[in-house]
Amino acid sequence: MNESLTILICSLLWGMSVLTLTYMGLKRISGFRLEKRNFSTKLPLFFRLFLPFAQPVSKLLQRPGFERIRTNTDIRLIQGGLDQSISPEEFLGLRLLYLFFFSFLGLFFLISNTRVLVLLGLIFLIYGIAYPTVWLTLHIRARHRSIQRALPNVLDLLTLSVEAGRDFMTALRDILQHRENDALGIELERVFREVQLGKQRRQALRNLSDRVRQSDLSSVVETLVQADELGVSIGHILRILGDQMRQKRFQHAEKLANESPTKLLFPLFVFIFPAVLIVMLGPVMMRAFSQFL
């Protein structure tokens, strides 16, 4: 056990030494330096640590052969609201650094004969291959859920303001001033800025739908654009949309509540049921074995 702990500590120190030497070499060769950024969305710790090293790698990914994967990555970063924090080339560079560093570290542990280090090597290997993509997917899903939850309340506030006689953009501005800066607020503020810079309202709303690509928000945007083109009263449309989104949110909550008993079966049988059996049958089995022996 002491030998395994010594190997683990030496491996971690070796990894830190490689990172330090790589940073010093890049700084000496190309004037590379750590960059201070104000991230609109807080990135994971290792993302922020690897991001300066990903910048030289990202230059190699600007070639025409990587155009398709850059486009797909850019779309997903925009969906997650990360397009102002990290570029597609930098995120792809992060994925490559994760793959090489943690895969190499995992293979280094796998060649050892200790079970603990072999297990740790497998964890590092899976982490390096899958974590950046999985994190981005989960971040987009969480952002879409946040937008879905906040959308009915925003529609209700817009309905009250428009029916009170205010213009749509004026009502949107007042709502954004008094709401917390969540995902939906950030996107609506971007719409408001685009309209201020001269874009038509329907075009700014279409850009919102193309950026976020959340089904409920896209439905609302499409309805508002059609109402604007046909000259229909937007206050009545907003009230109908608010009722629909609220009803859909309730249905989604009921669906999750109905699914909860099925989801509880796995932890029940894996964690709770064996513990109950041990508590109830443990003393009986110990007595039986003691008499048998």
Side-chain angles (χ1 to χ4, degrees), residues 182-193:
D182 57 357
L184 183 57
I186 292 173
E187 293 296 338
L188 291 177
E189 185 176 359
R190 193 165 177 177
V191 171
F192 184 77
R193 300 301 179 192

Side-chain angles (χ1 to χ4, degrees), residues 168-208:
F168 179 83
M169 298 308 300
T170 305
L172 181 60
R173 181 197 62 191
D174 294 339
I175 290 171
L176 292 176
Q177 288 177 352
H178 296 90
R179 286 191 79 255
E180 61 180 7
N181 198 23
D182 57 357
L184 183 57
I186 292 173
E187 293 296 338
L188 291 177
E189 185 176 359
R190 193 165 177 177
V191 171
F192 184 77
R193 300 301 179 192
E194 288 181 357
V195 174
Q196 278 189 326
L197 292 175
K199 282 188 178 180
Q200 292 183 352
R201 187 175 68 188
R202 65 189 68 172
Q203 184 60 43
L205 289 173
R206 286 196 179 102
N207 292 340
L208 169 65

Side-chain angles (χ1 to χ4, degrees), residues 43-113:
L43 298 177
L45 176 61
F46 277 108
F47 278 23
R48 286 175 279 159
L49 290 176
F50 279 106
L51 186 58
F53 303 100
Q55 293 174 0
V57 180
S58 64
K59 296 179 181 179
L60 301 176
L61 299 171
Q62 295 177 356
R63 299 179 179 179
F66 298 99
E67 180 66 28
R68 183 176 179 181
I69 190 171
R70 282 203 312 268
T71 303
N72 294 333
T73 304
D74 189 28
I75 292 173
R76 292 178 62 79
L77 290 175
I78 292 174
Q79 282 183 284
L82 299 169
D83 53 315
Q84 303 296 325
S85 300
I86 184 172
S87 66
E89 294 83 4
E90 289 174 338
F91 187 79
L92 292 174
L94 276 176
R95 288 181 58 185
L96 288 177
L97 287 178
Y98 254 73
L99 178 63
F100 289 133
F101 180 78
F102 286 103
S103 296
F104 184 75
L105 195 60
L107 291 174
F108 179 77
F109 287 141
L110 284 175
I111 61 176
S112 64
N113 295 324

Side-chain angles (χ1 to χ4, degrees), residues 35-263:
E35 181 183 357
K36 294 182 179 180
R37 296 192 184 190
N38 294 322
F39 296 105
S40 58
T41 300
K42 189 174 181 180
L43 298 177
L45 176 61
F46 277 108
F47 278 23
R48 286 175 279 159
L49 290 176
F50 279 106
L51 186 58
F53 303 100
Q55 293 174 0
V57 180
S58 64
K59 296 179 181 179
L60 301 176
L61 299 171
Q62 295 177 356
R63 299 179 179 179
F66 298 99
E67 180 66 28
R68 183 176 179 181
I69 190 171
R70 282 203 312 268
T71 303
N72 294 333
T73 304
D74 189 28
I75 292 173
R76 292 178 62 79
L77 290 175
I78 292 174
Q79 282 183 284
L82 299 169
D83 53 315
Q84 303 296 325
S85 300
I86 184 172
S87 66
E89 294 83 4
E90 289 174 338
F91 187 79
L92 292 174
L94 276 176
R95 288 181 58 185
L96 288 177
L97 287 178
Y98 254 73
L99 178 63
F100 289 133
F101 180 78
F102 286 103
S103 296
F104 184 75
L105 195 60
L107 291 174
F108 179 77
F109 287 141
L110 284 175
I111 61 176
S112 64
N113 295 324
T114 309
R115 292 182 179 180
V116 177
L117 293 181
V118 169
L119 180 61
L120 187 62
L122 288 174
I123 293 174
F124 276 137
L125 195 63
I126 297 172
Y127 178 80
I129 294 173
Y131 181 72
T133 304
V134 171
W135 177 84
L136 182 58
T137 302
L138 294 178
H139 177 74
I140 292 173
R141 289 180 182 176
R143 194 167 189 263
H144 283 181
R145 285 196 299 268
S146 174
I147 291 174
Q148 187 180 26
R149 287 194 298 266
L151 189 57
N153 296 330
V154 172
L155 289 174
D156 289 341
L157 292 174
L158 282 173
T159 302
L160 293 175
S161 299
V162 171
E163 289 183 346
R166 293 195 175 190
D167 179 69
F168 179 83
M169 298 308 300
T170 305
L172 181 60
R173 181 197 62 191
D174 294 339
I175 290 171
L176 292 176
Q177 288 177 352
H178 296 90
R179 286 191 79 255
E180 61 180 7
N181 198 23
D182 57 357
L184 183 57
I186 292 173
E187 293 296 338
L188 291 177
E189 185 176 359
R190 193 165 177 177
V191 171
F192 184 77
R193 300 301 179 192
E194 288 181 357
V195 174
Q196 278 189 326
L197 292 175
K199 282 188 178 180
Q200 292 183 352
R201 187 175 68 188
R202 65 189 68 172
Q203 184 60 43
L205 289 173
R206 286 196 179 102
N207 292 340
L208 169 65
S209 177
D210 293 337
R211 283 196 309 270
V212 180
R213 300 193 179 190
Q214 202 274 334
S215 58
D216 293 344
L217 186 60
S218 298
S219 176
V220 169
V221 167
E222 187 65 28
T223 305
L224 290 177
V225 169
Q226 290 181 358
D228 191 17
E229 291 175 348
L230 298 175
V232 181
S233 175
I234 198 170
H236 182 65
I237 296 296
L238 286 172
R239 181 171 294 278
I240 295 174
L241 287 173
D243 294 339
Q244 289 179 352
M245 292 301 109
R246 193 181 300 104
Q247 184 66 27
K248 191 171 182 179
R249 186 175 63 178
F250 288 157
Q251 291 176 356
H252 182 68
E254 290 177 356
K255 179 183 177 183
L256 293 178
N258 293 330
E259 291 176 352
S260 58
T262 305
K263 294 179 179 179

